[in-house]
Amino acid sequence: MGSCKSINCVDIVIRLHSEKEMSQSKVMRASLDTSLLFLMLYFCFSSSVSSSLYSSSCQLKGQFHLNGMHKTGDVILGGLFTVNFISTDPDLSFTSEPQKSDCYGFNIIGFRVAQTMAFAIDEINRNSNLLPNVTVGYSLYDNCAQLGVGFRAALTLVSGQEEQVTLDENCVGTPPVLGIVGDASSTNTIAISTVLGLYSVPLVSYFATCSCLSDRQKFPSFFRTIPSDAFQVNAMIQILKHFGWTWAGLLINDSDYGFHAARSFHSDLGPAGGGCLAYTEILSRGDDPAELRRIVDVIRKSTARVVIVFANNFIVNLMKEVVRQNVTGLQWIVSEAWTSADVLQTPHFMPYLGGTLGIAIRRGEIPGFRDFLLQTSPDLHHNNTDGNSMVNQFWEHTFQCRFAPPPAGWVEAGGELCTGQEVIENVETDFLDDSDLRPEYNVYKAVYALAYALDDMLQCEPGRGPFSNNTCAQLQRMEPWQIVYYLEKVNFTTTFGDRVSFDENGDALPVYDIMNWVWLPDGRAKVQRVGEVKRSAFKGEELTLDEDKIFWNFESKQPPRSVCSESCPPGTRMARKKGEPECCFDCVPCSEGTISNTTDSMECTSCPEDFWSSPQRDHCVPKKKEFLSYHEPLGICLTTTSLLGTFICVVVLGIFIYHHSTPIVRVNNSELSFILLVSLKFCFLCSLLFIGRPRLWTCQLRHAAFGISFVLCVSCILVKTMVVLAVFRASKPGGESSLKWFGAVQQRETVLVLTCVQAAICTVWLVSASPVPHKNTQYQSDKIVYECAVGSTVGFAVLLGYIGLLAVLSCLLAFLARNLPDSFNEAKLITFSMLIFCAVWVAFVPAYISSPGKYADAVEVFAILASSFGLLVALFGPKCYIILFRPEKNTKKAIMGRGIGS
């Protein structure tokens, strides 16, 4: 090793303390906790620094003697693995004598994972195409599943174990380690990577999944070959979404692993999967029966049928309580930390955990790995405080023997002395099982990533390098940050066909297997692969499931339903329940005129203007169209009445023409009587313009025809009344001169002038604000009432007012002439007819205003017909009676005699 490539621990403490002061909120609590700071300070001053900080060399006062496995080489890769499960509190004191190991509870799988790194390095050294002329060595340490032990091992790796370090200005040589593979725990990795990141020492984890480690600001030299929890959470959400499970419970443990997962679930479950969490419970480190009973009680009482477990420990005691309370009918979804936990796959638990869906690390195949494991042999030349003590411990655990002298604290069971000649194949052990390599495969990829990064660096052509002045890194003057640069660009494919590269956060392309716990008839359990979830650069996240292979632990053998509220069908919208999660809602029917045509609609949409909601409120239908139609009973009745009136007018006109020479026809200007009958006929006919769907021409013509016809009619009546008054006034002495103003010509001109006034009113109205067809939806929202908008209310009022003025004037004059002497006083008939006319139209106004839609047109037609029939009957009824049934009275003598006699 070189003279000054090890990390000065005093500098580490100074940098950490400075970073803590600058941004306390930006540094992980696991790494910058005050107690950890003092631990490092104590370690550095006790182990790495001589009595004088200003001397030219540092003397190593003591060493941590950790459980490890080593192999020399031109470059060294470090590794941190969980080979033992339990450790006593670490002894932080230092002496010149070796310290004993405090770890026990041997983990055969953890040792196999460590051996994977040794195999990968051995395979690299045998590969002439990768790192030719460079021998790679390793230093692997056991972290004993403890942060303190793992932290010591990491600092030991980056600081080196040289007895004396010379401090000079020219540092020569490679670092103590090129990079470190590990740690398995997210909490340990956070702490270790925080320190290593200060000096850009690469740390490639194979099992730390906390999404917080993707923060490049805090962990600039961290990489991993296992997907982050953020992707694992997304994978679980994809499963929930696939089966329509929108209501689930969440169990986490009280560590960074659980807390960051819970944060991701709470933020992503709603937007990505449309679901929400019924509860979130924390599994504490302590074995508190009361707390476990409370948590299981929450699970049992909840309506959520799906339980997500995102924890890496504390599960067995919880499941014992589930069994004790006999909580069945649940669908469990578990994280990769215990998808393959054999301790739960027993006949005791499977009635409750059968059918569990779990996320598992991608399984890989490593050719030749089993043969390598068979070559494992103990180190007979060193005691267990040096050298390959990890292998010796494995040997003792596997063959239940011990080496001489017996290592304190390592022998788990007494036995004969180990000879080193024992045959592994003769022992039944999981160590040789290479059928389900998952964390091992991640270690394999991590080692090759470091190897390919170093190989890319050594292939750099001088003058074309990526560093300052286009320089290349050199093996004897290599800096850790240069390896980080090449790690960020590494890209290779394993023999199993998986591509390995890292994104800008140091995360590998994520892929997970979906596993299913099958409960076999004999009570045994089998964990089978039923799908995968992965992310690709082109298609994003993809979930693939073989549902036919999934075992469901329910009577129906089908996926369960787990929703807070059933889906809202089309025609309803979701209304959230106050104070409850967003997936708990009521289904509220859409209001009239609005629809929803999809399931779980958030809001109802309004129908277009000419459409209305169906009775089911799930689609829009054309609105009913309403107008006074010729085909409905009311329209038929009014049409018939109109035509009847017209026919009667024609008959009366024919009678009058046939008897035009008789006195009763000739009296009081027969010409006006003919005009009056024609105008009445027009009055009857104009009512037909109000029936049928309004068109532009009918709207424009109906009121004009109505107004002119009635003015013509009333004008004739007015002139006839004036003539009656003039005749009887002329019969008196001195009144002869009044007749010259009421000759036949003057009568025609008067009628013409009065009618032209109305024609002028209609013309101005039609030109300025013509009536137009109008679709009215104000009366009834579900109907379109076709009507004629008058255009100008003033024009309509003037038209009616003018008719009313003439009618009132005629009525007054006729009333004044009612007592004039005459056997046949027409003034009485005019008075009676005008009273009927005025009464009808006075009643028309309020009835018209209060009638909606087509009934307004019906009221106007009725008023036209009633007033027309009133005039026709009152004025011509008596005359026709005399002509047809009392012809003896149809003489001049009979008509005038009464008046003369008087």
Side-chain angles (χ1 to χ4, degrees), residues 7 12 228 347 405 561 564 567 578 619 625 663 682 722 777:
I7 293 177
I12 292 177
S228 76
R561 289 280 295 166
C564 182
S567 295
K578 187 176 181 180
H619 67 282
K625 297 176 175 60
F682 287 144
M722 294 172 65
T777 58

Side-chain angles (χ1 to χ4, degrees), residues 178-209:
L178 185 71
I180 299 176
V181 175
D183 192 298
S185 163
S186 291
T187 299
N188 292 10
T189 304
I190 291 170
I192 295 169
S193 184
T194 301
V195 176
L196 299 188
L198 297 173
Y199 290 89
S200 299
V201 176
L203 180 68
V204 186
S205 177
Y206 57 92
F207 215 70
T209 59

Side-chain angles (χ1 to χ4, degrees), residues 135-352:
T135 301
V136 182
Y138 56 78
S139 288
L140 313 182
Y141 286 116
D142 178 13
N143 62 19
C144 302
Q146 296 293 321
L147 172 60
V149 178
F151 205 88
R152 286 194 235 174
L155 291 180
T156 299
L157 287 171
V158 297
S159 297
Q161 292 289 289
E162 297 178 356
E163 294 292 333
Q164 183 170 345
V165 178
T166 301
L167 304 178
D168 57 22
E169 294 182 358
N170 297 318
C171 292
V172 179
T174 59
V177 289
L178 185 71
I180 299 176
V181 175
D183 192 298
S185 163
S186 291
T187 299
N188 292 10
T189 304
I190 291 170
I192 295 169
S193 184
T194 301
V195 176
L196 299 188
L198 297 173
Y199 290 89
S200 299
V201 176
L203 180 68
V204 186
S205 177
Y206 57 92
F207 215 70
T209 59
C210 181
S211 57
C212 58
L213 288 165
S214 297
D215 189 338
R216 223 54 182 157
Q217 296 282 334
K218 299 174 183 176
F219 309 104
S221 62
F222 175 77
F223 300 84
R224 55 181 156 197
T225 54
I226 187 173
S228 76
D229 285 338
F231 180 74
Q232 185 172 189
V233 168
N234 287 338
M236 290 183 170
I237 292 175
Q238 291 293 324
I239 295 174
L240 294 174
K241 185 177 180 180
H242 179 82
F243 290 108
W245 297 330
T246 59
W247 188 232
L250 177 64
L251 305 179
I252 62 170
N253 61 347
D254 59 345
S255 67
D256 296 302
Y257 179 77
F259 292 140
H260 284 276
R263 188 177 305 145
S264 297
F265 267 112
H266 280 278
S267 62
D268 298 342
L269 181 57
C276 47
L277 297 175
Y279 53 84
T280 301
E281 295 293 337
I282 300 175
L283 303 175
S284 59
R285 295 178 182 274
D287 185 12
D288 184 358
E291 178 65 10
L292 291 176
R293 283 195 300 272
R294 185 194 67 80
I295 293 175
V296 175
D297 193 53
V298 170
I299 297 173
R300 180 173 54 82
K301 292 180 179 179
S302 174
T303 57
R305 296 293 87 200
V306 174
V307 182
I308 303 168
V309 182
F310 214 101
N312 51 14
N313 46 30
F314 322 129
I315 300 300
V316 176
N317 290 332
L318 174 74
M319 295 314 304
K320 289 179 179 178
E321 184 63 25
V322 168
V323 173
R324 191 189 70 79
Q325 294 193 27
N326 193 29
V327 181
T328 59
L330 297 178
Q331 176 62 49
W332 298 82
I333 300 179
V334 301
S335 64
E336 42 75 29
W338 64 285
T339 292
S340 303
D342 295 337
V343 68
L344 295 175
Q345 298 166 17
T346 64
H348 181 63
F349 290 121
M350 284 307 291
Y352 304 88

